[in-house]
Amino acid sequence: MIRLIQNEWMKLFWRISTWVMAAILLVGVVGVLIYAATNQPSADELPSEAQWKAQLEQQIVEDRQALEDSGAAEGFYEQRIAENEYRIQNDLPPQSATGESVWSFMSTNTALLDLLSIFVIIVAATIISSEFKSGTIKLLLVRPPSRIKILMSKYVTVILYAVGMLALLFGASFVLGALFFGFGEPSTELIYTDGEVEQRPQVLALAIDYLTGSVNFVMLATLAFAISAIFRSEAMAIAISVLLYVVGAGVTSTLAIAYNWPKYLLFANTNLNQYFTSSGPPVESMTLGFSVTVLIVYWLIFMGFAVWMFKKREISVTG
Amino acid sequence: MSSILEVNDVHKRIRGKEIVQGLQFSVEPGEVFGFLGPNGAGKTTTIRMMVGLSPITSGDILIDGHSIQKSYAKAIKQVGAIVENPEMYNHLSAEKNLIHFARMNGKVSHGRIDELLDLVKLGHVKKKKVRTFSLGMKQRLGIAQALLHRPKLLILDEPTNGLDPEGIRMVRAYLRRLAEEEGLAVIVSSHLLSEMELMCDRFAIIQDGQLINIEDQRFSQGEGRLLPYRVDVGPERTEAAVQIIKEAYPDLKIEEADQRLTVYIEKEKVPALLRYLMETGFDLYEAKEDRQTLEDRFLQATSKEDSS
């Protein structure tokens, strides 16, 4: 099994696209860095405590006005008012008053998790189908290791790749952030649920972001992997997986407004971050335990399908 | 010696159509076995069943005594194969391709990999990516890949496909050497009949998924067998020569066509016959064994099937 994983790793490693993906991810981090560095106010431009408190109070007044005037986007304004009041009461300066630090930079870079997810999906979708496309699947299967072992070695490789890319994103963000912005004072993130405001240290919030983000793309990679085993066509596997990734969450949350059943859909549950932030789950009755259970069931279904299809199918390339 | 490959009453049905209908044959260690048949006869399907890429509908295939269906790992261990084209990982070097396949059979021996690269004359390009290789080089790398784990049975689908004459000669010589010196059993499928004739000891000819004939080249060249000899004594004297031969050899079968005669005679008796013709005053322009080519026999065998 170790040797099979070594093989898959070797094949992935020597593919140019693997490195292109890593390079694009790094370019993304550098892009965020340039943006953050050029927009960073210098130390003497940062507002004093009195100044930022005044700014927030001003904002609260405006928000109240907006609420009275229109009544639209009620939740948004109520949340912002509550959060701003909490900051003033507890002397917690907002991001704009503390300046950029490695923590805020890493937090911004969680947006790149989307990009990373798409890369992991591409690798998962092609790791089986490319063998069919090139015809090498025949030489691969005419060997003592069972088909299941070969399939599993490919899955493990996808996960290793995902972990590697995550480490790259995390590491590059940390190193560049520390170099350019220093460690500074980690600011505090506020969580607003049911009219209550809670605070959470930014480092903890960051860890939750990355962890839940990982769960998200591991599930998507597993889906793409299963699709790859079933369709055996590179283009098909990538197209379906990326499409699901892009529209899945949107469609699910739209459906969730009107119905209860979408809570069993994959995309209602992949974003575990929803249980840790103000936004909350798409369907109210959902809990973290519920989502984890649903994800495990989906994972088993995907892997079961992949194994079943890969094991039973006739291996033909030319037809 | 026990057979290395036994194909027992193998059937293959795909979507109600019976593509292979009860194939039955075996291959012994040390022989090169040809697998002939027109396109769509079921050659590749049979080969794919032998290596476990395609499930067998009924019957069984034993490799070194192990069923490919029931004890796949043990059976496939004895097999080196190229099925259809020798597809390799284009983005890896020749050496890395071999490392890849060696890992699948257990521990990697770099000595063995270098040995095989030298053998198929790819040692000088082992660090180059396979993408840059010609079809012939890929074919040779395919053979190296199939031999890595020292299998007892080598299965090659169209091994000389895309090779230049020099390459074909090399592969042929090498396969014969492997069979003779190392006792390897080799199964070769090809549509190049003349090529197969030079390479193989025995052939199975299949058509429409059925075995129509197994020919043994070694026996057909054996002693005491009547072989056709074409004798040319000049067109105008052919008839006279037939008379003269009949006087001395009343039992011989003689055919006369296109003003040339063909005698069916044992090889050892040919010199005496020719001496006799010259002594009786005939000019001898040519005397030659009229060997039926494999192509003739192949066409004969496949067309017999059509008329029945």
Side-chain angles (χ1 to χ4, degrees), chain A residues 11 131 141 143 314-315, chain B residues 48 54 72 89 91 145:
Chain A
K11 284 183 272 186
E131 301 265 3
L141 293 186
R143 309 279 155 181
E314 191 115 353
I315 305 300
Chain B
R48 290 153 52 97
S54 181
Y72 171 78
Y89 296 102
H91 66 291
Q145 160 278 130

Side-chain angles (χ1 to χ4, degrees), chain A residues 53-71:
Chain A
K53 282 193 173 168
Q55 277 170 3
L56 290 186
E57 267 159 13
Q58 176 66 29
Q59 175 105 63
I60 292 170
V61 171
E62 281 171 17
D63 286 350
R64 288 224 167 94
Q65 190 60 46
L67 262 181
E68 276 172 33
D69 286 354
S70 68

Side-chain angles (χ1 to χ4, degrees), chain B residues 33-44:
Chain B
F33 188 87
F35 209 46
L36 289 180
N39 283 339
K43 281 177 305 192
T44 297

